Amino acid sequence: MSLAHLFRGRAGWLSGSGPDNDIAFSSRLRLARNLRGERFPQRASDEARRQVFARVVEAVKSCPALGNTVVIRMEEITKQERQLLVERRLISPALSSRYQGGVVIGEKELVSVIVNEEDHLRIQVLLPGFDLGNCWKVIDLVEGELSACLDFEFSPDLGYLTACPSNVGTGMRASVMLHLPGLTMSDELSRVLRAADKLGITVRGMYGEGSGAVGHLFQFSNQSTLGCSEERIISDLERIVGKIIAHERAVRQKMLGENRLFLEDRVFRSLGVLSHARLLNSEESLNLLSGLRLGRELGMLPELPTETVNDLFIVTQPAHLQALAGRDLEPPARDSYRASLVRSRIRGE
Amino acid sequence: MLCANCKKNEATVHLTEIEGNQIVKVHLCPACAQHKGVATPVVEALKNLPEDISKQRGSEETGEVCSVCGLSFKEFREVGRLGCPNCYRDLGRPLRELLAFIHKGPRHAGKVPDAGRRERHRLRQALDAAVAREDYEEASRIRDLLERDSTGAGDTG
């Protein structure tokens, strides 16, 4: 399986299935691990990092839970291909060829292992909907298989040791991406975000640290990794995210009851512009796609498949557009190509 | 739309910041976003440490250096990343104070490596190697060890 082949298919987490998928886009678990006795990547020699990469790839290949894998080395791909991986949430922008970084991607992009980013390994499981329980089952299995052939740095007191002290202990970051147009429109969002922060939950945009909350998409994740078990971190996050989902649903119902016309107008304006616009920039398209997704979730657009809408959030990003066009596109040309792609996808082509 | 910072590249990162009930939008290119926006939680936490820890920090930071990778606490404060596992021991007290500030508890309460599983994997590899070099005496000894082990553990990985 090659990089090009990988991107012809749809990532598994975009399928629009999974629990609470009317509001929860996807759930993700990530475990940070380092090899015993080795310096962390950013302070290791090139040779040491190369050896770590080889050891991890060897171990991952003998890991049945990952199935068929693709191994991608950052130094062997173009800047645009790297951006494609970022847009598909398979790597973070911080993964650099400077540190002999790479990623091993499992089937349907549901499981991946990032090598030599901040830590030697970042094991990631990404599933559709609100499904941290299954994310944990899968990641626990994968980590267990890898730990049979790799010796991870562990201290009885501090748990798994990581390059950043904010990950030490379980090394686990759990996150759920929610679509919250109702809370945003009703001005309740800032109250919810402040409450989440007080309860030890970090809120970020779609692409993690430093990215914005465009398209009414927000990622909620645990702040603390030390002092609680993995199950406890997950159940605490599930409880809070469950409340936010219920709140969003209640706000939507209230708006439907009090001002259905306002919501319908918003949904059909989004559909109208996306179906006919000739130029769309990235922010405008994400915000209109949010309107489209809301219409889909409220049953106003029954003919439009959820996975088509979810997929558009990803394929309208710059690197995906250029990969689909098969050439580099300057921003004005990109806006025109984006508009034509959205029109054809909405028509079901 | 151009990046609000460099005004050269296309803005593809759209930050939404909440100020009171107002949502303020900032549009940046990926390079500027990484440069400006990606302040790590640790660097932020270090800036916001309570005063009593900050006071201690001044005296501690000159002496605390990791004996394996040479990272000082001062350097760590700048980059927000440790150099090696030994830093957790050698950067001692200021680092412990930081951990207490950012985490819920001082001790690990989660998953523990399964040492038996790793040992079984090592034995299986040794068994394959012994069979490959036709050392059947050694192979049989390892198989006995594996069999004795598997009667106590239900794990096959």
Side-chain angles (χ1 to χ4, degrees):
Chain A
M1 196 162 52
S2 68
L3 193 63
H5 179 81
L6 188 74
F7 295 126
R8 273 200 289 275
R10 177 179 289 128
W13 58 275
L14 289 168
S15 70
S17 58
D20 297 306
N21 62 58
D22 56 332
I23 290 164
F25 214 93
S26 60
S27 300
R28 167 159 70 177
L29 281 187
R30 182 268 277 155
L31 292 176
R33 294 290 185 265
N34 287 283
L35 302 190
R36 183 172 294 280
E38 298 285 341
R39 288 185 181 193
F40 299 137
Q42 293 184 22
R43 219 171 161 81
S45 66
D46 283 1
E47 185 48 33
R49 284 191 290 256
R50 256 181 227 117
Q51 284 179 12
V52 165
F53 196 96
R55 280 171 66 192
V56 173
V57 168
E58 187 62 32
V60 170
K61 278 183 184 159
S62 65
C63 178
L66 264 100
N68 289 330
T69 54
V70 187
V71 179
I72 297 165
R73 287 176 170 78
M74 289 303 109
E75 57 206 40
E76 290 172 1
I77 63 173
T78 63
K79 200 174 153 195
Q80 193 194 309
E81 287 171 324
R82 193 178 308 168
Q83 186 56 30
L84 267 174
L85 294 168
V86 172
E87 290 173 4
R88 283 178 101 83
R89 303 170 76 209
L90 288 165
I91 63 169
S92 75
L95 184 66
S96 148
S97 54
R98 200 153 50 110
Y99 300 122
Q100 284 82 39
V103 60
V104 185
I105 304 167
E107 276 174 52
K108 291 186 186 164
E109 303 171 43
L110 297 172
V111 184
S112 56
V113 181
I114 300 171
V115 193
N116 283 339
E117 190 214 54
E118 189 178 297
D119 296 297
H120 294 140
L121 289 91
R122 289 280 176 97
I123 310 164
Q124 170 177 289
V125 172
L126 196 51
L127 294 179
F130 181 27
D131 201 4
L132 290 171
N134 276 320
C135 285
W136 172 243
K137 278 185 199 154
V138 175
I139 209 164
D140 190 34
L141 181 74
V142 172
E143 196 270 354
E145 287 180 357
L146 289 174
S147 74
C149 29
L150 295 171
D151 199 4
F152 294 139
E153 191 67 62
F154 179 83
S155 129
D157 269 1
L158 292 176
Y160 292 95
L161 301 184
T162 52
C164 186
S166 64
N167 296 315
V168 78
T170 57
M172 189 173 84
R173 195 75 58 203
S175 67
V176 183
M177 188 153 75
L178 299 181
H179 182 222
L180 303 175
L183 289 173
T184 313
M185 284 188 268
S186 67
D187 283 340
E188 299 219 17
L189 186 68
S190 58
R191 205 169 57 81
V192 169
L193 298 189
R194 270 196 296 274
D197 185 59
K198 281 208 179 74
L199 293 165
I201 302 294
T202 304
V203 189
R204 292 173 179 155
M206 187 174 174
Y207 287 104
E209 217 164 78
S211 73
V214 77
H216 305 136
L217 288 171
F218 298 85
Q219 276 194 77
F220 294 82
S221 58
N222 61 303
Q223 279 165 12
S224 171
T225 54
L226 182 66
C228 285
S229 68
E230 290 84 355
E231 288 85 354
R232 177 72 195 276
I233 291 171
I234 289 171
S235 66
D236 283 355
L237 184 65
E238 278 177 339
R239 205 178 55 247
I240 294 159
V241 167
K243 282 192 177 142
I244 298 171
I245 290 177
H247 198 43
E248 168 71 21
R249 229 174 246 146
V251 167
R252 289 181 187 184
Q253 285 311 313
K254 187 163 175 262
M255 289 171 98
L256 275 177
E258 289 173 359
N259 206 345
R260 186 181 178 95
L261 208 56
F262 169 78
L263 277 185
E264 281 184 347
D265 182 66
R266 197 169 172 116
V267 167
F268 287 99
R269 267 174 198 276
S270 300
L271 179 65
V273 175
L274 290 170
S275 307
H276 299 288
R278 264 39 186 177
L279 291 171
L280 279 173
N281 70 32
S282 70
E283 196 201 3
E284 185 184 17
S285 65
L286 288 171
N287 284 330
L288 292 167
L289 285 169
S290 166
L292 211 58
R293 200 181 136 101
L294 178 67
R296 172 74 206 142
E297 289 155 4
L298 295 174
M300 293 173 182
L301 302 169
E303 291 87 30
L304 195 64
T306 306
E307 60 266 33
T308 300
V309 183
N310 286 354
D311 209 28
L312 279 171
F313 276 93
I314 304 301
V315 298
T316 52
Q317 302 286 315
H320 273 82
L321 283 181
Q322 295 179 82
L324 287 167
R327 63 194 148 95
D328 286 351
L329 296 171
E330 289 301 307
R334 218 180 280 171
D335 291 351
S336 147
Y337 189 81
R338 182 182 286 119
S340 92
L341 177 78
V342 171
R343 290 198 308 271
S344 69
R345 292 280 176 104
I346 286 178
R347 284 196 303 266
E349 293 167 13
Chain B
M1 186 188 311
L2 288 177
C3 170
N5 190 48
C6 66
K7 300 186 172 58
K8 285 181 200 153
N9 302 322
E10 190 195 8
T12 55
V13 178
H14 313 286
L15 296 167
T16 303
E17 289 174 356
I18 313 286
E19 288 178 10
N21 247 339
Q22 294 289 306
I23 297 178
V24 186
K25 296 203 169 170
V26 190
H27 310 280
L28 300 169
C29 69
C32 290
Q34 203 165 358
H35 189 65
K36 279 174 82 93
V38 191
T40 71
V42 168
V43 173
E44 285 300 306
L46 283 163
K47 278 188 213 147
N48 300 324
L49 277 181
E51 215 174 301
D52 53 329
I53 305 178
S54 304
K55 276 182 195 157
Q56 287 170 13
R57 214 166 49 188
S59 58
E60 301 268 10
E61 70 185 27
T62 46
E64 309 282 353
V65 172
C66 173
S67 60
V68 171
C69 73
L71 185 89
S72 65
F73 193 77
K74 186 167 177 277
E75 263 181 283
F76 164 65
R77 273 178 56 196
E78 283 157 14
V79 297
R81 300 285 182 275
L82 296 167
C84 72
N86 188 65
C87 291
Y88 280 96
R89 195 166 49 218
D90 287 359
L91 299 187
R93 200 164 140 203
L95 187 59
R96 297 267 166 171
E97 306 264 9
L98 173 69
L99 291 176
F101 184 67
I102 55 183
H103 290 296
K104 280 186 178 163
R107 282 182 66 87
H108 179 56
K111 192 173 179 176
V112 168
D114 181 350
R117 183 173 196 164
R118 184 152 169 68
E119 179 58 14
R120 286 191 293 284
H121 180 78
R122 197 189 61 75
L123 285 173
R124 256 181 238 115
Q125 280 185 322
L127 177 64
D128 290 346
V131 170
R133 63 173 188 269
E134 300 184 1
D135 182 352
Y136 297 114
E137 200 177 323
E138 175 67 0
S140 130
R141 190 187 68 82
I142 299 172
R143 193 174 308 116
D144 288 348
L145 282 173
L146 274 167
E147 274 169 14
R148 202 184 313 154
D149 191 52
S150 66
T151 52
D155 185 303
T156 54

